[in-house]
Amino acid sequence: MTDPAMHRKLKIEIVVDAAAIDAMTALIERNGAKGYTVVPDVSGKGIRGVRTGHDPFSDAPNAMIIVVASHAVGERIMREALALLESYAGVVYSSEVNVLRDEHF
Amino acid sequence: MTDPAMHRKLKIEIVVDAAAIDAMTALIERNGAKGYTVVPDVSGKGIRGVRTGHDPFSDAPNAMIIVVASHAVGERIMREALALLESYAGVVYSSEVNVLRDEHF
Amino acid sequence: MTDPAMHRKLKIEIVVDAAAIDAMTALIERNGAKGYTVVPDVSGKGIRGVRTGHDPFSDAPNAMIIVVASHAVGERIMREALALLESYAGVVYSSEVNVLRDEHF
């Protein structure tokens, strides 16, 4: 981050069953994020469920949901999203991003 | 970045009204980026406009545009994209990525 | 990464000709990644091929493939993806992400 006008935020990316989009976006809004983006109709393979160690790959309609928020809000979303994903296939990961308009996130 | 063959670049992600795609990609090319990716037909909610503090969430067809470029080019694109977004709903954020083929970015 | 429960992983993002999706996902699975996401039907412009220095921009149906994996697996995928991209238009870049469930990646 070379620019002093930048503000550091947390980006949360969630790949989830299309069936869980509404539950996930409700969770995101409830936790105070000011916005999110949904990329519908992504496909993919991944482990399904939490406890199986040698999972078969599965194919299902998924969506990717992207949220950029303060670290406090983003970390709450990440933990709650993970809890929701116990019931659905999916993954969640976070990374650092920089924004110029602090008040928009 | 564990690999000395890696080159660090700036990734700019822009979520914008579909109506602004052409203006945004023209801006990206004019600033010297060697490429970009457009993910059409994403949806989302976010604050609209700059001055409203307690914005209603809005639904509109959006696109996500992704650019990976040198830091100098990327920072110019980020600032100009933000200026363009004064006229459109949207967000822009940047992050660090690593590439192997320096000359492609 | 403020949370000690987080595990650091490598995210590899590949933008490639739609014609190369199967070859790319086979490469990803063969290298031991536990999952990946495909965003179909992205568009874009970029340099085509490796040796042309002042490339015309090209338009072609592309896909974006996203993999989150251990650094060892991710770096192998990145190098092999790059070799495959010698035959196709495309770009590949990596970045750091944080996950909570280490065993899922």
Side-chain angles (χ1 to χ4, degrees):
Chain A
M1 186 158 56
T2 58
D3 188 328
M6 291 286 190
H7 304 273
R8 193 155 276 252
K9 301 292 173 187
L10 200 62
K11 177 167 74 159
I12 311 292
E13 292 170 279
I14 304 163
V15 180
V16 68
D17 275 13
I21 293 176
D22 288 351
M24 199 61 84
T25 58
L27 177 166
I28 289 166
E29 294 189 25
R30 192 171 60 238
N31 275 287
K34 293 182 182 170
Y36 58 83
T37 301
V38 179
V39 185
D41 299 323
V42 307
S43 61
K45 296 193 172 181
I47 61 174
R48 176 174 287 276
V50 177
R51 290 169 214 288
T52 35
H54 47 93
D55 302 79
F57 276 38
S58 69
D59 262 308
N62 286 316
M64 176 174 296
I65 304 173
I66 304 165
V67 188
V68 175
S70 71
H71 283 71
V73 167
E75 286 172 9
R76 283 204 308 271
I77 289 170
M78 192 168 180
R79 290 198 170 275
E80 290 198 23
L82 192 64
L84 184 59
L85 290 177
E86 302 290 324
S87 308
Y88 295 96
V91 294
V92 54
Y93 46 87
S94 67
S95 58
E96 301 283 330
V97 298
N98 303 310
V99 306
L100 283 166
R101 295 190 296 194
D102 193 29
E103 71 279 13
H104 274 211
F105 294 91
Chain B
M1 187 158 55
T2 58
D3 188 328
M6 291 287 190
H7 305 273
R8 192 155 276 251
K9 302 291 174 188
L10 201 62
K11 177 168 74 159
I12 311 292
E13 293 170 278
I14 304 162
V15 180
V16 70
D17 274 14
I21 293 176
D22 287 352
M24 198 61 83
T25 57
L27 178 165
I28 289 165
E29 294 189 26
R30 191 172 62 238
N31 275 286
K34 293 183 182 169
Y36 57 83
T37 301
V38 179
V39 184
D41 298 324
V42 308
S43 61
K45 295 193 173 182
I47 62 174
R48 177 174 286 275
V50 176
R51 289 166 214 288
T52 33
H54 47 94
D55 302 78
F57 276 38
S58 69
D59 262 306
N62 286 316
M64 176 175 295
I65 304 174
I66 304 164
V67 189
V68 175
S70 71
H71 283 70
V73 167
E75 286 171 10
R76 284 204 308 270
I77 290 171
M78 192 167 179
R79 290 198 170 276
E80 290 198 21
L82 193 65
L84 184 59
L85 291 177
E86 303 290 324
S87 309
Y88 295 98
V91 294
V92 54
Y93 45 87
S94 68
S95 58
E96 300 283 330
V97 298
N98 302 311
V99 307
L100 283 165
R101 295 190 296 194
D102 193 29
E103 72 278 13
H104 275 210
F105 295 92
Chain C
M1 185 158 56
T2 58
D3 188 329
M6 291 286 190
H7 304 273
R8 194 155 273 253
K9 302 292 174 188
L10 201 62
K11 177 166 75 161
I12 310 293
E13 292 170 278
I14 304 162
V15 181
V16 69
D17 274 13
I21 294 177
D22 287 351
M24 199 61 83
T25 57
L27 178 165
I28 289 166
E29 294 190 25
R30 190 172 62 237
N31 275 287
K34 293 182 182 170
Y36 58 82
T37 300
V38 179
V39 185
D41 299 322
V42 307
S43 61
K45 294 194 173 183
I47 61 175
R48 176 174 287 276
V50 176
R51 290 169 214 287
T52 34
H54 49 93
D55 303 78
F57 276 37
S58 68
D59 262 308
N62 286 317
M64 177 174 295
I65 305 174
I66 305 165
V67 188
V68 176
S70 70
H71 283 70
V73 167
E75 287 171 9
R76 283 204 308 270
I77 289 170
M78 191 167 180
R79 289 198 171 275
E80 289 198 22
L82 193 65
L84 184 59
L85 291 177
E86 302 290 324
S87 308
Y88 295 95
V91 293
V92 56
Y93 45 87
S94 67
S95 58
E96 301 283 330
V97 298
N98 302 311
V99 306
L100 283 166
R101 296 190 294 193
D102 193 30
E103 71 278 13
H104 274 210
F105 295 92

